[in-house]
Structures are given as structure tokens and as C-alpha cells.
Amino acid sequence: MKKLIIGITGSIAAFKTVQFISDLVKEKYEIEVMLTPSAAKFVTPTSISALTKKKTYIDVFDDDPGCITHVDIVKDADLFMIVPASATTIAKCANGIADNMLTAAFLAATCPKLIAPAMNVHMFENKATQRNIQTLKDDGVLFVEPAVGLLACGDTGKGKLADYDHLHLMMEYALSDHPLQGKKVLVTAGPTQESLDPVRFLTNHSSGKMGYSIARAAFILGATVRLIHGPTSLKPVPYIINQSITSTQDLFECVKRHHTHYDYIIMSAAVADYTPVKTSTEKIKKNDNELILKLKKNPDILDYIGHHQVEHQVICGFAMETQDLIENASKKLNKKQCDLIIANHLKTEGAGFQGDTNVVTIITQDSMKDIDKMSKSDLSYIILKECMKIGAKK
Ligand code: PMT
């Protein structure tokens, strides 16, 4: 279980951290919380302790019996976060001032540190604050940039506490040891749409969840990530390049433009094999009892990049089959010249489209590994680990 120290400072955004803590407790992190005296005017130790089931610290002399809390509590911490961080606390941390439990513990901590500022736009943009932030960045402290918007004081600008998605993703990034640092990962995700006329298209059931999870995991592991995705209802993944496409041809053009620059390519998009020969410029009228659509073959993108693979590159395909899955997936691995293929057990409960879980077999040139039902998020790390194993040998 990872241990997080969460510091809260005097900012109106402090109430959001209470919800954040509640979510993290459910995710089974071990959490210790420290408030500055100003933070205790916005949120109470009582509400936080009710969530963490632990003491919430404020005063630097508020030691537990037999220990020097600000030193001992951080010794085995995996991450120290300050959410939200006021201008004052940032200034103190940048200058090694340790005059309350939070700032003293921050100075004593040797684990990774992450700061999420929240304050008035002019306080944030002030040269003194920017100088202090730069000092902390130079010392290796990570930051979650504040968002731009209407602030509690009535001003508009940069200073809002970053939203949950940014905070959580950066927290996971800070907890990782970044085995993909310096690597570039390209992921395709979601369905494609092939237009029949101005109001209709051919598509499939892909939600994009599998590919978005892989892109997220690749970022957390330290990679620079490009996610090329078809139409989905998912929110963009923070901190990566999110690029949207519609048709298979769009996806092909986009992949062709970028594939040679990437160390790892993971093709989890569900791509239409066929597209209408002709897209009608007007809505197709309902006349006869039957309508025959004439389709032509789309380019096979995985096949193209497999046959144009650059040195040291690892290419991972997916396979979607309803019959003879392993046999057909293995054929795809060889025909499309990829390094590994993820075969979805479509007919197994909890696998395939739309859900949050998947059941797959990972097939490489010399191995086959069955992976029981698990979250698409956990599976993403397994897929990336397999890719890295192959990458290390190239
Ligand atoms: O998005 P979710 O709802 O989370 O669902 C995830 C998923 C089930 C869609 C995903 O895990 C998956 O299996 N994606 C690949 C689906 C697919 O297109 O399979 P396929 O067997 O038809 O294609 C084999 C491989 O070739 C795939 O990597 C595909 O991206 C690629 N392909 C296919 C056709 C084509 N014209 N060009 C391609 O590049």
C-alpha cells in the first residue's frame, strides 16, 4: 500500500482536497494529512480524520508519543503532496522555512514531492511566486499547473486548483519510477466512422477505454505519448497529445505521418475493414425494400506499419475474433509483422468492448500468456511491460 502525505494550506480550494482524500481512501492509499493553521479555517481536522481514521496534524509540536512526528511520519512516505498550495506555503518550502507541521515535514521528507498551487491570478503570476516555484522545480519538486478560470475572488485567470483528472494523473506519475522515460509511445483507440451519407455512418462498439488506459499508463511510466482516437465520449488524457480522427483513411494518414518517430506503437483502435465505395452527398432516400451497399477494402494500417517498422521499434496489435481466436490472432501477428498481439476473448464475460475490464491472451513470436479478467487499467501496465521486455532485446 502506497503511503501519501497530503498537506492542505489556506485556500478556498481546500474543500476540494477533502473530496480528493475521500476518493484516495477508497483507492486504498495510506494517507496522513497535515493542515497549516490557515487551512484549518477552511476545513476542519474533524472532517478529515473522519475519512482517514487518523489524527490530522496542524502544530509542529503536536507530536505523537515517543516520536518526533514531522520527521518520523515522512520516513516511509512514497509521496508528499501539497493540495492546494498557497503562495505563502510555496514561499516557505522554497526557502526551507519550517514553522508549522506541514512545512517542517516537507523539509524533512526525502520522498518525491508534488505541489498543486491555488491562489489569485496576480499572486500566482507575481515574480516572487514564480521565482519560488522555479526554485522548487530546480530542486526536483513536481507541480500540477493551476487551471485558468473564474476565481473565488472574482478575478479571471490562472490560479484555480487543477481538476481531479490532472491531480490524480500527476500523483500517479509522481509515484512511478518512469521505466519509459525518454521513450515515445503512439496509441490508437476507439472506433472509426465510415460515412454513407451526410447523416449515417458504419462503425463499431469500441468505446476507446482500452486505448485511453494504455495511453494513460504509458504517460505514468514516463513516456511522451500521442493518442490518436476515433469518436469517443471519453475526456482527453491530460499531459499527452490527444489527436482525433474520424475515418480509417484519416487514421491511416495520421499514423503514416507519425509512426517512424515512435519507439512503441500500440494499435488498440477498432478499425473498419471496409468503407463505402461512394459517400452520397445527399441523404440516401428510403425507396426500395432492400438497400445494397457497395463497400471497398480500407488500408490495413497495422500491416503497413509492420512492413515499415523502423529499427528498435516495438509494434503491438490487437485481435478481435469470434472464432478460432488464438489461431487467427497468431496468423495476424505473422502476417502484419508485429512483435506482439493482444487477443481479446470476446465471448468471455468481462472482455472486449465498452466495459472497464478485459480478458486477453498476449501472443509474441515465442510465448503465449493468458491474462484473466482484470481492469483495462491494470491490463495496460501488463501490455506495456511486455512491450518493454521486447524493446529491451531490440
Ligand atoms: O475501446 P474498448 O471499448 O475499450 O474496446 C477495446 C477493443 C476490444 C476495441 C480493443 O481491445 C481491440 O481489440 N481493438 C482492435 C479491434 C480490431 O480492429 O481488431 P481486428 O482483429 O479487426 O484488427 C487487428 C489489428 O489490426 C488491430 O490492432 C487493428 O487496430 C488493426 N487494423 C485492423 C484493420 C485495419 N484496416 N487496419 C488496422 O490497423
Side-chain angles (χ1 to χ4, degrees):
M1 189 191 273
K2 299 273 188 195
K3 177 173 171 181
L4 310 174
I5 310 286
I6 301 183
I8 306 178
T9 73
S11 155
I12 182 65
F15 76 93
K16 297 182 186 171
T17 311
V18 180
Q19 179 63 54
F20 190 47
I21 290 168
S22 167
D23 293 336
L24 295 177
V25 168
K26 287 181 203 138
E27 290 176 41
K28 307 268 183 268
Y29 287 98
E30 184 194 340
I31 297 170
E32 300 282 357
V33 181
M34 296 169 180
L35 305 182
T36 60
S38 308
K41 298 196 168 154
F42 290 93
V43 293
T44 71
T46 316
S47 48
I48 290 162
S49 292
L51 296 169
T52 60
K53 311 282 184 287
K54 289 188 175 160
K55 184 168 163 180
T56 300
Y57 301 92
I58 303 176
D59 194 285
V60 73
F61 296 109
D62 201 8
D63 287 333
D64 292 316
C67 76
I68 303 168
T69 301
H70 68 276
V71 174
D72 292 337
I73 206 168
V74 293
K75 276 191 177 146
D76 58 349
D78 294 290
L79 180 65
F80 196 126
M81 291 194 274
I82 307 182
V83 185
S86 64
T88 303
T89 294
I90 289 172
K92 287 181 187 176
C93 291
N95 291 284
I97 296 169
D99 65 346
N100 59 41
M101 181 61 102
L102 191 162
T103 49
F106 189 87
L107 195 62
T110 54
C111 60
K113 293 168 182 168
L114 179 63
I115 291 183
M119 64 194 75
N120 168 271
V121 55
H122 304 300
M123 293 172 80
F124 181 72
E125 286 174 353
N126 188 291
K127 281 185 182 160
T129 304
Q130 289 304 314
R131 217 170 28 241
N132 291 328
I133 288 174
Q134 194 53 51
T135 300
L136 286 162
K137 283 184 178 171
D138 292 344
D139 292 345
V141 176
L142 292 166
F143 274 77
V144 189
E145 286 288 300
V148 175
L150 178 63
L151 307 173
C153 55
D155 285 342
T156 299
K158 193 169 180 178
K160 273 167 84 80
L161 180 66
D163 67 20
Y164 179 87
D165 288 349
H166 284 77
L167 277 177
H168 202 287
L169 185 55
M170 204 36 127
M171 179 191 83
E172 290 178 88
Y173 175 85
L175 284 166
S176 146
D177 51 4
H178 310 139
L180 282 174
Q181 189 75 50
K183 299 291 181 195
K184 294 178 83 182
V185 177
L186 189 158
V187 184
T188 68
T192 58
Q193 289 180 354
E194 312 296 317
S195 281
L196 289 165
D197 67 18
V199 295
R200 305 181 184 98
F201 50 80
L202 301 173
T203 190
N204 59 63
H205 297 292
S206 174
S207 62
K209 283 182 182 173
M210 188 71 247
Y212 277 60
S213 279
I214 295 169
R216 215 174 170 280
F219 169 76
I220 290 165
L221 296 182
T224 301
V225 184
R226 180 183 293 270
L227 171 64
I228 309 177
H229 63 86
T232 74
S233 58
L234 303 176
K235 283 199 259 175
V237 180
Y239 305 118
I240 69 165
I241 302 167
N242 291 266
Q243 201 166 1
S244 76
I245 53 89
T246 305
S247 68
T248 301
Q249 190 59 39
D250 294 343
L251 181 61
F252 187 37
E253 298 303 328
C254 199
V255 170
K256 265 202 300 189
R257 237 186 339 270
H258 298 290
H259 74 105
T260 54
H261 306 297
Y262 284 81
D263 303 290
Y264 296 91
I265 303 183
I266 303 176
M267 296 283 291
S268 65
V271 184
D273 289 321
Y274 290 90
T275 192
V277 168
K278 186 168 151 274
T279 302
S280 172
T281 49
E282 302 299 338
K283 185 180 172 206
I284 299 169
K285 296 298 287 178
K286 181 174 66 177
N287 291 325
D288 303 328
N289 283 339
E290 285 185 353
L291 172 70
I292 295 172
L293 296 175
K294 200 164 178 195
L295 306 177
K296 64 178 179 197
K297 227 179 189 173
N298 263 329
D300 191 315
I301 305 162
L302 182 57
D303 193 280
Y304 175 88
I305 57 167
H307 286 87
H308 293 81
Q309 193 166 11
V310 298
E311 224 187 331
H312 309 307
Q313 190 174 55
V314 176
I315 299 180
C316 170
F318 272 70
M320 175 72 86
E321 297 285 344
T322 54
Q323 291 168 46
D324 305 321
L325 173 67
I326 301 301
E327 193 189 330
N328 284 323
S330 303
K331 274 188 200 156
K332 276 181 189 168
L333 176 79
N334 292 320
K335 183 176 169 291
K336 302 194 185 199
Q337 291 197 4
C338 35
D339 297 285
L340 67 164
I341 202 135
I342 316 299
N344 296 280
H345 288 262
L346 263 196
K347 291 189 171 163
T348 305
E349 185 266 319
F353 291 126
Q354 310 230 327
D356 292 327
T357 59
N358 207 352
V359 184
V360 304
T361 299
I362 301 180
I363 306 171
T364 67
Q365 291 297 347
D366 49 22
S367 70
M368 198 170 294
K369 205 180 278 175
D370 289 326
I371 309 287
D372 291 341
K373 178 169 140 181
M374 68 168 61
S375 70
K376 285 180 177 169
S377 166
D378 288 344
L379 175 60
S380 299
Y381 289 99
I382 293 182
I383 293 171
L384 287 166
K385 212 168 146 193
E386 287 299 325
C387 290
M388 282 187 270
K389 259 199 250 167
I390 296 171
K393 288 188 208 147
K394 285 203 169 195

